[in-house]
Every structure is written in structure tokens, then in C-alpha cells.
Amino acid sequence: MFGKQVAKRGCDVDSETLEEQKCQLNYELNCSGKYFAFKEQLKHAVVKIVREKYLKTTSFESQEELQTFISELYVFLVDQMHVALNQIMLDDVQGSVATIPSSSEQLRLFAFEAEVSENFDVAAVYYEERLVREPQNLEHWLDYGAFCLLIEDNIKAQECFRKALSLNESHTHSLLLCGVLAVLMENYEQAEIFFEDATCLDPTNVVAWTLLGLYYEIQHNDIRMEMAFHEASKQLQAQMFQAQVTKQKSTGTIEDTDERKAEANLGTWGATKDASVTVFKMEGPQGSVAVFSTVDEVLEDSPKLQSESQEPLLLQYQDPSIGPKLSSMVFKELSSKKEASKCQELPPFLHPTPHSVVTPTATSIFMETIRFLMKVNAVQYVDRVLAHELLCPHGGPSCEYFLVLAQTHLLKKDFAKAEEYLQQAAQMDYLNPNVWGLKGHLCFLSGNHTEAKACYERTVSFVVDASEMHFIFLRLGLIYLEEKEYEKAKKTYLQACKRSPSCLTWLGLGIACYRLDELTEAEDALSEANALNNYNAEVWAYLALVCLKAGRQLEAEQAYKYTVKLKLKDEALLAEIHMVQEMVGFGDPSF
């Protein structure tokens, strides 16, 4: 109404003019009916505040009591109005930007927890909230797209990945995911464009070349498929060699002259699927390359290769127990089966599973691709890659291979198959923490909590962490609570709170402390849980119990009211609250 006047006069507006403008504004609001419409909108919020904050549901006995209450309410509402206005000021918004990344990470963790618990509606809310907060963040769109792949909503997943690609047209992962979705939806022309763009933008990306080769296989273009797989192998071998040289440099086991000599003498490198033995053959006159996956293959093919080329085979043994001998490279002629039997007794390397904190020192191009696909929940595409991993000369059945198979069948609720593959994984690597962690999840989901507890305890006892320690701690703590081992539950949830705090970790800690009659610690933990998620009915329920035990009537009634409002599903816990309310004589407002 007065924008033009303010623009002309600037800040030089006297008090009389301001008062006159205020009167005109009130007149316009009343005449147009906007004031009453706005008041009707506010009425519901005010009624809610009166009921929930002040717990006032009965009529007033006197006019003075009414006036006193209105005064208190007015002060509270004005304070809240000032808080709301301050939050939208420019300086405050700029100051709050720094806290967004941490809250986004927390939301990602909450969404992941909901995924594992199969509360997909709750998980979708968290993912969407991240997008609303930072709509230009590419990673948020990729995470939401991966979630859509998990619930098999391919159309929405495609929209998310293409939105991410529109934010950064040179982002390799977005291109690859768009290509994967195009293949799944049988848009093969688009898939080829996405995969080829990815290889052009990042020619050293192993996953990009492998996915391109898999696409050509679907198109029955064997020549291009072999070219793509060969390029992927070459890039993977180069990366592994560079990583090994860097590691040896850092430990002082190799000198620059040795590195230059090795780089000068060796052409294309071949790497085994196991890190126990790595066999390289130098490039011949025609550029031939020998790549072996196991010692058996070396022995079977070595006479043939020796006859084709007189160049020796380069054998590198990478057993971790050897220590300083890791960097030694020995030229060795393999001519007899007798020597082969000795090599076959070499101990295998302990393979990590997908998402493991251990970085594998050797792998195949297909296992690299499988890890990428499992991270984005592209399980529909994994089966094809697993078949290649099993059949390719550089792959074969490994501990990680069986773990991926077990994971995919666990997602399909095929517990029998998952258990079968886990047994095979355990036979290959009994000391792998991921084997025991996944076996614990299998037993937990099957309802065998006793066996799950044993598996989880074994996983926690390993020096090297499994890939999903957050959920291992959560489920182990829950089992301890069920078996009334509250001290163990408290220690377990404390570890989880230190590593990755969430509403569920603090809630578990609060429950354990409450059962141990440590009310102060329980209230602190439950308050932390409530700050992270104030829509959890169980948190409010235990807060009500703590307040009842502490004799705080007003807070107990308020916490109980939210428990009922959020529809607590645990009937036993609700009955416990009613029992404590009867014991103390308060806590149920009953309106």
C-alpha cells in the first residue's frame, strides 16, 4: 500500500505518518475481510498451543483468572512471533547455512535407518526434506534416486538421476546411473549415449568401461564388448599398480629407481582376483597380454605362453604375513606341475565385502562394478554382473562374491538361499567381520535373536569393523534390552551414540538407563533423542515414565499427551505408563 511513498521518502518518515498508515492498513484489512480470514487461520494454532502447552481444557472460574491467563498467553505468542521473525532475517539465514550439511547428514542417517526397518514412507519424508532444504545439491538427488531403486520405483529414480545430471552435466556417476536406468527401462539408445559420455568424460573410470561393455553384451556386439572390458581391465591394473607403488613408497620398501625400472620394463599389467598372487606377463611384440586369476591358471597356461614368447613371467606374492617381502619381484620359470602344487598351498587374502572399511588391494572389474551398483541399490542389474564375475578368468567365487549373493537374497526375503551363500562365504573367509554381521542380520530378521546375538557379539569383537556397524549396534542393543541385560545394552548404545548418533541410538540408551533407575541419565538421553526426532512416540512414552518417577506432573501429562497423539503401537509400554500413573496418582490429563 505504501511502497511508493517509502521509496520516495526513504527513511525520513515521521511518527504521525506511520500512525496514519497503520490506521489505513487496519481499515483495509477489516473492510476486505482479510483480517478475519487471517484470524481464523491463527485460531487453530492458538487453540492447539493452549491445549498442548498450558493443558487448559476447562472453563475459567472468574474474570480475573481469565485475564491473567490471556496476559500470559499474549506474552508467549508475542515472543514466538519475534522468534519467527528473527529466523527469516537475512543475517540469521546466512549464519545458519553452515549448519545445513550436518543436519543433511543426520537426515540421511535417519532415512537409512527407516530403510533398514522397512518404514519406506518415513524414509521418503526424510529424503524429501533434504531436497527441500538443498534442492541444488546433486548428492541429495542421487540418494533419493537410490532409495527409489530400492522400492522398485524406476520412473521416479530416473527423474532423480536426470535431475542430478541437469545440475552437473559432467558428473560421471549421474551419467552411469542414468544409463543403468535406461537399460532397465529398455531405452537402449539413450543408455549407449550415457555410458559413452561417461567414458569420454572420465576415461580412467573402471565402472564406466565395464557398464559400457555390459551394454554392448546386451546388444550382442561382442567386439565392442571385449574392447570395453579390456580397457576397464587396463585402467584397473594401472590404478592398482599405482596404489601399490604409493604404499611401498610410504613404507620405504621401494626406491624411485626401482619404480622407474618397473615402469620402463612392464607394459600392460594383469592382476589376479586374489591378492595372494599377482602374475604379470610383459607385453610381447604383438602386444599380447597374459592375465591370470589363480595359480592354477598360471600353471596350465604357462607352457603355452612360454612357447609363444620367450619373455619370462613376473610373479609377485602379496601375502600380508610376509611383511617387507611384499615389494620383492621375482622372475620365475613355471615349467612343471610339481612347482604348481607348492604354489596352490599359498594362503588366500581376506577379501572385504561391499562397503567395507577395508580397501581391497586386488579385485576384478566386475566386482568393482558390483560394489558401485550395490551402493545405489541397483539390485536388478547386479545379477548380470555377478554372472560375469563368476565366469570371467580374473574373477570367480570369492568371499565377497558370496556375500553379495547373500545380500541380494536377503533383500528378497529368501532366507534359505541367503544362509546357503553365507555358509560358503564363511568357509572361504571365516574371520571376515562382514560375514558374521550379515549372518546376524539374517538371524535377526528370521526371528532367531539368540543366534543373532552371538553373531553380532563376534562381529563387534573383531579389530576391523564391519561395513554396517550402526545397525549391528542397534540390533545388538535391542536384543540386550529384550533379555534384560541392561548394562550391556547401555554400553552398546553408548558406542553407537559415539559413532553415529541418531534418535534410535539415544532412545536405546535412554531405555537402558531408565531400566537401571538412572533417571537423570535417562532423561538426558531421551532429550537428545527428542531433539533429533520429536515425532517418535516411544521417546515421548519413556519421557512420560521418567517424569512420573521424578514427580513432575505437568511435564508427565504433556509427554503422555504426545504419546497418545502420536499413536504409540507398543501396548505393553502403554500399559506400563497407565500402571505408573495409578501408582503416583497423576499423569493422565484425560481431556
Side-chain angles (χ1 to χ4, degrees), residues 68-88:
T68 302
F69 175 77
I70 290 176
S71 299
E72 292 178 359
L73 179 62
Y74 179 76
V75 170
F76 174 77
L77 292 175
V78 170
D79 288 342
Q80 292 302 306
M81 178 189 70
H82 289 155
V83 170
L85 289 173
N86 289 332
Q87 286 178 348
I88 63 172

Side-chain angles (χ1 to χ4, degrees), residues 31 33 45-46 51 70 116 120 143 174 181 183 205 248 255 301 341 355 400 416 463-464 499 508-509 541:
C31 289
V46 174
R51 286 182 175 175
I70 290 176
V116 174
F120 296 128
D143 288 340
S174 299
L181 259 296
V183 171
N205 192 303
Q248 292 171 345
E255 298 179 358
D301 292 350
S341 61
H355 318 300
E400 187 173 2
V463 176
V464 179
R499 296 169 63 97
L509 179 60

Side-chain angles (χ1 to χ4, degrees), residues 229-290:
F229 287 161
H230 175 74
E231 184 64 28
S233 299
K234 186 173 74 172
Q235 296 300 332
L236 178 62
Q237 293 154 12
Q239 291 173 15
M240 291 167 58
F241 174 67
Q242 187 60 41
Q244 181 184 338
V245 170
T246 304
K247 179 180 178 181
Q248 292 171 345
K249 269 187 172 182
S250 63
T251 56
T253 57
I254 188 171
E255 298 179 358
D256 290 340
T257 55
D258 295 332
E259 178 190 349
R260 286 196 294 270
K261 189 183 297 182
E263 290 178 348
N265 291 337
L266 295 177
T268 305
W269 292 74
T272 67
K273 72 178 180 70
D274 289 325
S276 58
V277 178
T278 305
V279 182
F280 306 106
K281 183 181 182 299
M282 287 174 286
E283 206 167 353
Q286 289 81 22
S288 60
V289 179

Side-chain angles (χ1 to χ4, degrees), residues 207-417:
V207 176
W209 285 108
T210 308
L211 288 174
L212 180 61
L214 292 168
Y215 162 77
Y216 284 135
E217 181 196 29
I218 295 172
Q219 297 298 304
H220 305 290
N221 192 335
D222 295 339
I223 295 176
R224 289 195 172 186
M225 178 190 72
E226 291 296 336
M227 289 174 59
F229 287 161
H230 175 74
E231 184 64 28
S233 299
K234 186 173 74 172
Q235 296 300 332
L236 178 62
Q237 293 154 12
Q239 291 173 15
M240 291 167 58
F241 174 67
Q242 187 60 41
Q244 181 184 338
V245 170
T246 304
K247 179 180 178 181
Q248 292 171 345
K249 269 187 172 182
S250 63
T251 56
T253 57
I254 188 171
E255 298 179 358
D256 290 340
T257 55
D258 295 332
E259 178 190 349
R260 286 196 294 270
K261 189 183 297 182
E263 290 178 348
N265 291 337
L266 295 177
T268 305
W269 292 74
T272 67
K273 72 178 180 70
D274 289 325
S276 58
V277 178
T278 305
V279 182
F280 306 106
K281 183 181 182 299
M282 287 174 286
E283 206 167 353
Q286 289 81 22
S288 60
V289 179
V291 183
F292 304 99
S293 62
T294 61
V295 178
D296 286 340
E297 290 184 28
V298 175
L299 299 166
E300 291 171 4
D301 292 350
S302 59
K304 177 182 176 182
L305 291 165
Q306 295 279 344
S307 62
E308 292 177 355
S309 173
Q310 297 303 316
E311 296 170 4
L313 298 176
L314 179 62
L315 179 77
Q316 182 181 3
Y317 182 59
Q318 297 179 353
D319 183 15
S321 64
I322 292 182
K325 295 182 182 178
L326 179 68
S327 62
S328 62
M329 292 187 178
V330 186
F331 287 96
K332 187 174 182 180
E333 295 286 339
L334 299 175
S335 56
S336 67
K337 197 71 178 177
K338 185 176 180 180
E339 286 188 280
S341 61
K342 296 179 182 179
C343 294
Q344 288 173 347
E345 297 174 0
L346 299 176
F349 183 79
L350 303 183
H351 283 272
T353 59
H355 318 300
S356 175
V357 294
V358 185
T359 303
T361 57
T363 184
S364 70
I365 60 173
F366 299 110
M367 191 52 73
E368 286 286 320
T369 307
I370 288 169
R371 293 190 191 108
F372 171 77
L373 294 173
M374 290 297 290
K375 284 182 181 179
V376 297
N377 300 319
V379 182
Q380 304 168 45
Y381 211 88
V382 168
D383 291 338
R384 177 181 294 273
V385 193
L386 281 171
H388 276 278
E389 171 66 16
L390 182 62
L391 297 175
C392 80
H394 311 152
S398 63
C399 178
E400 187 173 2
Y401 169 82
F402 287 118
L403 276 174
V404 173
L405 276 174
Q407 276 186 296
T408 56
H409 284 84
L410 200 58
L411 288 172
K412 299 173 184 175
K413 303 296 183 185
D414 188 352
F415 297 144
K417 277 287 185 182

Side-chain angles (χ1 to χ4, degrees), residues 13 51 143 185 267 277 441 515:
V13 181
R51 286 182 175 175
D143 288 340
M185 301 178 76
V277 178
H441 293 325
R515 299 302 179 191

Side-chain angles (χ1 to χ4, degrees), residues 188-208:
Y188 296 118
E189 293 182 1
Q190 294 181 5
E192 183 176 13
I193 294 171
F194 287 128
F195 290 142
E196 288 189 346
D197 283 354
T199 56
C200 290
L201 287 169
D202 189 0
T204 63
N205 192 303
V206 175
V207 176

